[in-house]
Each structure stands twice: as C-alpha cells, then as structure tokens.
Amino acid sequence: MISEHAGQSSPSASAEAAPWWRGAVIYEIYPRSFADGSGDGTGDLAGVRARLPYLRDLGIDAVWFTPWYPSPMADGGYDVTDYRAIDPGFGDLREAELLIAEAREMGIRTIVDVVPNHVSDQHPWFHEALGSPAGSAARGRFWFRPGRGADGELPPNAWVSEFGGPAWTRTTDPDGSPGEWYLHLFAPSQPDLNWGHPEVREEHEDVLRFWFDRGVAGIRIDSAALLVKDPKLPDVATLHAPGEHPYVDRDELQDIYRGWRAVADSYGDDLALIGELWLPEATRFARYLRPGVLNSAFNFDFLVCPWDADRLRASIQQTTEVHAEVGAPTTWVLSNHDVTRPVTRYGRSDTSFSFEAKRYGTPTDLWLGLRRARAAALLTMALPGCVYLYQGEELGLPEVEDIPPGLLQDPMHFRSHGVDPGRDGCRVPMPWSGDTPPYGFSPDDADDEPWLPQPADWAGLTVESQTGIPTSTLELYRAALRLRRDLPNLGDGPMTWLPSAPQVLAFARGPDFACVVNLGPDPVELPAHDHVLLISAALKGGRLPADTAAWLRISAPG
Ligand code: TEU
C-alpha cells in the first residue's frame, strides 16, 4: 500500500482532496542523458540521485523515467529484455528503490515506463520463440506467420513500421533455410507481443505489481493504442470505422486497461495510469480516460499544434470539453524525447510538429523560437490540469542538428534511409555547469565523453549559468512553478476564456488570475489588472509584445 508522504505538497491547494495526478507537474527524465554519475558518458541513477535537489527546487511533483530496464538500446531502451531489473549501465534495482524513496522524501513521485506492445529481440521469450517450431506455444506470444508468395518470400501483409519500412522481418530456421516472418510495428529488434495470449496479459499485470510494490506512483504506458491486432491481419485501408483499424485503437484495449486499473486500485486510489495515445480523434482518445480505465494521457493534439492562436484555442477548447465529458484531467505537453525541441520548432516557418515533416537543413530562427517557447511555457503552466516537462525544456535547449552521422543512434533515422534526422537531437545530454562539454553532465575526471556530443556553444544554457539570472529560461520556469504551487486556482480546476483580439489567447483561472498570450505580430493592450505576476519577455511601452505571455493578478469582480 502506498502511503501519502507527509511532506508532499498538494499540486493544487484548491483541490486538497483531489488526487495528485489531476494537477501535477511531471518531469520526464531520459536517463541516458540526464546526469552521469559513473563517468562513462551515459546518464545513470547515481546521476539522478545527485540531482534530486535540483528537481525539488525546480518545483515539480513527479518524475517519469523513460525505460530504465536492461536493454540492448536499439531504440533508446524501448527494447526491453527484463521488465523487473535495471540496465547495468544505469545502476541496479537496489539503487532504483533508493531513488524512488529519496525522491518521495523530497515530495517527488516516480512514474515508470512500461512498454507492452513489444519486447527486445533479446528478451528470453523471443529467444524461446525463435528456438521453437512454427505453431508452437512459444511463438504464440508473438505474431509469427508464413510469408506470401510461392516461397513465402513476401511479408504476410503490407503493414508499414512506425519507423518506416516493412513491419515484418523474416526469420531463418535452424537448418539455415528462410522461415516464418514476425511482426514489429517499430524496429525489427522490437517484436510485437500477441495480446490475445493469456500469458502476455498476466505477465504485464505482474510487472505493474512489481513496480507498485517498490513505491512507484504511476505507469506511463508506451504506444498504448497499438497493442491489440486484428488476428486476421488484414491490410490497412484508407478509412476504418472507429475501432476497426487492424492495429490502432481497437476496442479490446479497453478491457486490457480495465485489468490494469484493477491492479492499480488494489494498492489504493492514488496510482496513475497514463497512456501514450497518439490518436487523431478526440472522442476516441477520451474513451481511454473514462472511469475504470486510465487516469490520464498525453495531449499530443496540443503538442503538434502550430504557434497559432486559433489552432491553439481550438485545441484547448476541444481538449477541455472531451476530458470534462469523462471527468478526466487535461494534460499539456510541449515536448518529449520523441519530438523536435520547441525552441527549434517554433523558430521555423512551419511551427507544427509531425514525424513525417522532419528534414535536415530546415531554416530556423532560434531567437524567435526561444521567445515563443517561453511564452508557450507560461501558457501551458497556466492551463487546467497536468503539465509534462521534458528535461532541458526548462533550460530552453534547442534541437541539436549537427550530430555527426556516425554518432546517430535512432532507428527512425536509419529506417528512413537518412532522410529523417531522427530523434537524437532532443536527447543530447543535459548541460549542468562549466564552459565546455561535458558541462558537468559527467564528473570532471570522467573517462568517456557523453554518448551524444553536446554543442560547443551551450555554456550559456547550463543550469549554473542560468541560475540567479532573472531573465533566464530556467528562472522563468522556476518562478512559474513556484506560482503554480502558491496560487490556489492554478493546476486542476476550471478556466474561463476572456475577451481578446483574435491573435491573443486570454483566460482566467479563478476570480483573480489571468493568462494572456500574444501570438500576433503587434503589441496589444493588457486587460485591466492589478499587477503582472510573471512575463516571458519585457513589456513594450506598457503593452504585451509579439510572442509574449503574461500572468496577471486581476481584481475579483465586485
Ligand atoms: O513512441 C510511440 C510513437 O511515437 C508512435 O507510437 C507514434 O504513434 C507514431 O510514431 C506516430 O506516427 C513510443 C516512445 O515514446 C518512443 O520513444 C519509442 O521509440 C516507441 O514508443 C517504441 O517503443
């Protein structure tokens, strides 16, 4: 049973009784790149433990670790060989337990990432399957099928991997002849599990218990809409009725997650199940957030929005409505370990995000991008519900776009035949201090360089160099998070749109707080207010300039 930690401050004072996950600020840690305690150039749990005071002082409520389990790292840890252990490069289980407990002492909850769609091709189950004949029970945990064509030389269907290329790879039988094919919606080193197999279901429910027993407060569910496949494995059509796509958002998922809910609820009522659901249709998305299923999900609709007032307003409005219908808290996400850093994205002519559009050599104005990213941060932190921050976002890090090709790691890059720069650019190790790489990421006497090279011009972006500088992005985040904790109407709760010019977003939280964001080219008048609580860039002649957000104390009516 998880007990409420005494020192835990409520994410929203207006909601003392509301569960923590309705209004939390959740900080995503990509363990490889957060802090390196051992000096081998890769981040680890010792590094995170040493930086816990930084996270506490930043003012977050929880950390989400992307997978920290043993993994060949073919997809940055999303290729897991053992869900009940820690990758030796990161530490060990004992250290994870210490970390979870120490974080909790500081008022920080821990969320772990569970990857149920697939395992590593080095997972014992897959080894067993490869060593077993066609039709065997061991192969039944995955999707093995004979090929099409005279000699089975064609994949069983035309599904395309999320990383590009075919979603099937052919195996070789023990005698050296070509064998069956297996399904992988991601890289070939990530074979998909068959969720129709009872052992797959039992195994995952047991993995949840394993981590809940160690004090974690929530689970982030990777690729949560993809687990279930139509067993007939039909080709994908142009249009599918809701729930009838062969592998996206199938209705059987609801029952799987109801099972997970029951496991979580057996520990009390404050464990969070958070879905990574990339779904275009808001009402289908919201079905996962009904009572008895998941608690919350990442709001990718908001994340992919361009820097455009109408589009953002529409996304915020729709998000708020569909979540209210099912009683779930809204979430707001600007970045994560998969997408282009906002400072870079908002500095381009196309400020939306899509995996397909990523290209080398896209012209970027980083000054403009940073200005907008800072305004977007204040917008996000003022909206109702939960906020997800990705490590380095609080430093205003840009995407690193000049990683030497030989050092790139991301399968998305390689499977696009080098057309897509991949996701390494948002995974570059954090700069903490000093003037040159590794910027305090590794100890001074480290043997190895960071696993991805850090830019030579990041001295001004380190935690050390931004600390105490009132205009720095780090201090903007610190101030915003402090206010978010102190002001009773931020976090979970209602919002009210205020009248504004078309290119301005303005809304109130409670009777005396307003957030105003100017996305247009010209300065605008601020609404009547007592004083400015926080602002992402200086006022211009008393007006709110372009690409700037302000938090205002307004007078309560009457
Ligand atoms: O990402 C999943 C993901 O991005 C896709 O499911 C998404 O739907 C698709 O690319 C959109 O076209 C998660 C992790 O966040 C990512 O790092 C992993 O590589 C991936 O799962 C596989 O585990």
Side-chain angles (χ1 to χ4, degrees):
M1 193 71 82
I2 306 297
S3 62
E4 184 70 24
H5 173 62
Q8 180 75 27
S9 59
S10 158
S12 162
S14 67
E16 272 304 311
W20 67 275
W21 44 263
R22 291 195 66 92
V25 177
I26 301 172
Y27 185 95
E28 177 188 356
I29 292 184
Y30 192 73
R32 267 172 135 183
S33 301
F34 186 67
D36 167 23
S38 69
D40 65 355
T42 294
D44 48 39
L45 302 191
V48 179
R49 288 175 66 198
R51 301 291 182 183
L52 282 175
Y54 167 78
L55 295 171
R56 177 199 56 206
D57 297 346
L58 184 60
I60 55 151
D61 302 298
V63 281
W64 145 40
F65 288 93
T66 63
W68 55 10
Y69 320 107
S71 164
M73 298 287 163
D75 181 22
Y78 284 93
D79 47 322
V80 179
T81 57
D82 179 358
Y83 291 88
R84 296 180 185 79
I86 297 293
D87 191 86
F90 293 152
D92 58 23
L93 190 56
R94 176 81 197 116
E95 188 152 33
E97 290 168 349
L98 280 174
L99 168 52
I100 294 166
E102 288 166 357
R104 194 62 178 242
E105 279 298 305
M106 295 189 196
I108 300 172
R109 290 176 160 89
T110 297
I111 294 165
V112 295
D113 207 322
V114 167
V115 188
N117 181 67
H118 44 267
V119 294
S120 162
D121 62 351
Q122 304 304 314
H123 189 284
W125 276 4
F126 197 67
H127 279 305
E128 194 189 336
L130 286 182
S132 305
S136 59
R139 289 202 170 188
R141 297 189 188 114
F142 297 91
W143 293 97
F144 280 87
R145 288 290 183 280
R148 289 173 301 154
D151 299 309
E153 73 281 11
L154 298 171
N157 67 23
W159 293 3
V160 174
S161 148
E162 300 284 317
F163 291 163
W168 295 90
T169 291
R170 195 166 194 186
T171 59
T172 306
D173 285 338
D175 66 359
S177 59
E180 289 191 313
W181 297 71
Y182 68 90
L183 174 69
H184 50 84
L185 287 184
F186 293 91
S189 48
Q190 296 166 295
D192 276 50
L193 290 167
N194 170 11
W195 273 83
H197 195 295
E199 275 176 38
V200 170
R201 218 168 146 148
E202 283 158 26
E203 165 69 3
H204 282 82
E205 293 188 359
D206 196 57
V207 165
L208 297 190
R209 283 186 209 100
F210 181 88
W211 289 105
F212 289 148
D213 286 342
R214 275 156 188 80
V216 314
I219 305 284
R220 180 258 188 195
I221 308 167
D222 185 66
S223 302
L226 304 182
L227 277 48
V228 176
K229 281 85 188 174
D230 179 341
K232 294 195 281 300
L233 303 176
D235 278 332
V236 178
T238 331
L239 268 183
H240 288 283
E244 286 179 15
H245 186 285
Y247 60 83
V248 181
D249 183 30
R250 292 186 62 84
D251 289 333
E252 300 91 317
L253 285 164
Q254 304 291 323
D255 185 53
I256 291 172
Y257 295 134
R258 283 184 194 280
W260 290 31
R261 171 89 272 141
V263 173
D265 286 352
S266 72
Y267 286 80
D269 59 4
D270 78 339
L271 299 186
L273 296 176
I274 305 157
E276 191 216 13
L277 297 158
W278 285 87
L279 293 176
E281 228 205 295
T283 49
R284 290 293 296 182
F285 174 90
R287 292 178 76 236
Y288 293 81
L289 308 179
R290 291 175 296 172
V293 195
L294 306 182
N295 300 88
S296 152
F298 300 97
N299 185 350
F300 292 118
D301 187 70
F302 180 76
L303 184 151
V304 302
C305 254
W307 185 243
D308 174 274
D310 287 342
R311 297 283 295 276
L312 284 165
R313 191 184 292 108
S315 177
I316 293 166
Q317 188 61 32
Q318 171 175 273
T319 298
T320 311
E321 283 166 14
V322 300
H323 284 73
E325 277 166 25
V326 291
T330 46
T331 70
W332 311 98
V333 194
L334 288 175
S335 67
N336 66 29
H337 66 287
D338 290 333
V339 305
T340 309
R341 292 256 188 205
V343 168
T344 298
R345 182 155 61 91
Y346 290 145
R348 294 179 163 168
S349 60
D350 178 1
T351 50
S352 66
F353 175 78
S354 80
F355 288 104
E356 297 75 25
K358 289 181 74 180
R359 288 292 176 275
Y360 282 106
T362 310
T364 308
D365 177 346
L366 288 180
W367 182 87
L368 178 64
L370 178 61
R371 192 178 169 91
R372 290 174 171 170
R374 289 167 56 95
L378 291 197
L379 166 65
T380 305
M381 288 188 269
L383 287 167
C386 270
V387 174
Y388 285 86
L389 307 179
Y390 172 49
Q391 66 182 41
E393 183 184 323
E394 77 279 22
L395 303 178
L397 296 187
E399 187 86 356
V400 179
E401 301 192 276
D402 58 356
I403 300 171
L407 296 177
L408 290 172
Q409 310 247 343
D410 183 15
M412 244 177 161
H413 169 72
F414 297 106
R415 288 183 65 86
S416 76
H417 304 288
V419 172
D420 174 349
R423 300 166 294 177
D424 294 304
C426 65
R427 300 173 177 180
V428 169
M430 285 269 285
W432 293 92
S433 58
D435 294 329
T436 51
Y439 301 112
F441 169 71
S442 299
D444 289 343
D445 57 354
D447 297 329
D448 297 301
E449 303 198 335
W451 69 281
L452 284 175
Q454 298 159 304
D457 61 356
W458 272 13
L461 292 174
T462 64
V463 169
E464 182 185 56
S465 69
Q466 296 195 42
T467 294
I469 308 292
T471 53
S472 73
T473 301
L474 177 57
E475 293 299 350
L476 180 74
Y477 270 79
R478 284 178 172 154
L481 292 172
R482 210 175 301 126
L483 281 168
R484 204 182 133 98
R485 282 206 165 171
D486 290 348
L487 299 178
N489 293 312
L490 293 186
D492 189 27
M495 69 179 276
T496 314
W497 290 109
L498 298 173
S500 69
Q503 288 174 315
V504 174
L505 298 175
F507 56 92
R509 301 294 318 275
D512 61 1
F513 176 94
C515 174
V516 184
V517 192
N518 181 7
L519 294 98
D522 303 313
V524 294
E525 293 296 338
L526 286 172
H529 59 280
D530 294 346
H531 59 271
V532 175
L533 293 162
L534 191 60
I535 192 155
S536 64
L539 291 176
K540 219 175 186 171
R543 306 168 95 205
L544 188 69
D547 300 315
T548 305
W551 286 7
L552 307 175
R553 165 78 67 202
I554 54 176
S555 300

